[in-house]
DNA sequence: ATGGTTGCAAAATGTTTGCAATGGC
DNA sequence: GCCATTGCAAACATTTTGCAACCAT
């Protein structure tokens, strides 16, 4: 999925739910689409500060809830009492998180996905989304901790 | 690992780190050991209310941090802005979480664990712990949502 | 006796909400 | 014009922290 399509999907969803396509919502979505990779609420709030339109933190949260509901944004990491989001433009993947430097490495392992499906079937569980976080030390921090 | 051993390990860790084995810490550990399955901070605080010893919420948090550091307690689920903990008495496992009724189903899939190790090796990443959460609808809630 | 620990209240975070004013459609 | 949306501040929830009194060793 690309940015244009994402925006179209958003407008479609907005219309379906009888919501409104406001300047604030557009600004927030644009900002998220321009953010490469992972982001936090503060990033969005901060980056919009320089724009000619004002968007409050509350509106960012409210818009994120819409984006989560429609599945365009996912809470991919919960770490350090923070939520890290990601826009679903790429194929699904999971994360390695370095607890020392905070680096995030993405990986995709089809075999793990398949096994998860198998497990859900076993339990007659209907999955909507999942999150696999592996915490530890990245290559560099691993080296440094051995010194 | 059983309860007795867990307690012994805790005392050992406490001694190693030059900390103190206080009544509060013992009470909290006992409470956690008696809690079957998952628990939240409020559960512990609430359950200790009836005891003859008083333990403040702050002390529960501080003790949980020690238990997390030594690996005896893990933050297994982050959902709904809440943290759900678990004591590591059983073998490692992951969770299916029903977003409607809150039911938690545990599962263990050795194959997934192996694949994770493989991935970490690939990235020269040193894992310390991981968390795999699959959110969705349990069997019962799945049925009800089809009505 | 010493130095870690506790409880308390306050503070720090992160997130949600009530309400009056505003603005899409 | 209707009704959703916004900004603001307040509320809320969770977790951390400063400090004086306390207690395990």
């Amino acid at each position: 999925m690309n940015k244009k399509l994402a925006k179209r999907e958003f407008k479609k969803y907005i219309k379906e739910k009888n919501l409104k396509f406001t300047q604030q919502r557009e600004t927030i979505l644009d900002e998220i689409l321009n953010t490469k990779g992972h982001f936090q609420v503060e990033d969005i709030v901060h980056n919009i500060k320089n724009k000619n339109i004002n968007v409050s933190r509350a509106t960012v949260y409210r818009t994120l809830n819409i984006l989560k509901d429609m599945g365009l944004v996912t809470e991919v990491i919960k770490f350090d009492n923070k939520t890290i989001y990601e826009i679903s433009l790429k194929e699904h993947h999971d994360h390695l998180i370095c607890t020392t430097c905070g680096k995030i490495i993405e990986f995709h392992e089809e075999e793990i996905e398949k096994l998860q499906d198998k497990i859900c079937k076993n339990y007659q569980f209907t999955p909507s989304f999942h999150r696999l976080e592996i915490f530890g030390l990245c290559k560099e921090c691993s080296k440094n901790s051995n010194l």
Side-chain angles (χ1 to χ4, degrees), chain A:
Chain A
M1 165 132 61
N2 61 31
K3 296 184 189 184
K4 275 241 173 68
L5 181 53
K7 207 154 171 178
R8 230 179 295 146
E9 289 290 323
F10 181 60
K11 283 187 187 169
K12 198 173 126 195
Y13 185 83
I14 287 283
K15 190 164 269 179
E16 274 172 18
K17 299 275 176 181
N18 283 321
L19 304 176
K20 282 165 187 173
F21 188 70
T22 63
Q23 282 190 57
Q24 286 87 339
R25 286 176 179 165
E26 180 166 25
T27 307
I28 293 166
L29 179 59
D30 284 345
E31 189 49 48
I32 291 177
L33 288 169
N34 285 329
T35 299
K36 282 163 191 43
H38 312 93
F39 65 91
Q40 300 184 25
V41 170
E42 281 317 298
D43 298 333
I44 302 304
V45 172
H46 178 262
N47 291 344
I48 291 179
K49 279 274 165 59
N50 314 325
K51 302 281 164 69
N52 6 1
I53 177 176
N54 257 48
V55 180
S56 71
R57 178 172 281 98
T59 298
V60 171
Y61 275 105
R62 289 189 270 230
T63 303
L64 273 175
N65 283 335
I66 299 176
L67 291 166
K68 281 191 281 178
D69 286 344
M70 65 175 286
L72 196 54
V73 159
T74 318
E75 298 182 343
V76 287
I77 299 172
K78 292 277 192 173
F79 180 54
D80 212 18
N81 300 324
K82 282 185 177 52
T83 301
I84 298 178
Y85 300 85
E86 195 180 271
I87 185 136
S88 327
L89 290 180
K90 298 190 267 187
E91 198 189 352
H92 168 79
H93 53 262
D94 294 305
H95 300 87
L96 302 173
I97 303 106
C98 178
T99 49
T100 297
C101 72
K103 189 194 294 167
I104 297 172
I105 302 168
E106 301 178 354
F107 70 88
H108 176 77
E109 174 56 62
E110 196 49 39
E111 211 42 50
I112 290 184
E113 307 291 321
K114 280 186 194 154
L115 286 164
Q116 287 181 37
D117 287 345
K118 192 192 80 180
I119 287 155
C120 289
K121 283 218 179 69
N122 274 356
Y123 290 97
Q124 295 177 263
F125 189 90
T126 312
S128 58
F129 70 99
H130 75 263
R131 177 159 70 209
L132 169 54
E133 299 153 288
I134 305 182
F135 298 96
L137 299 182
C138 71
K139 193 174 156 185
E140 287 72 27
C141 292
S142 214
K143 266 181 212 153
N144 296 339
S145 74
N146 286 336
L147 301 185

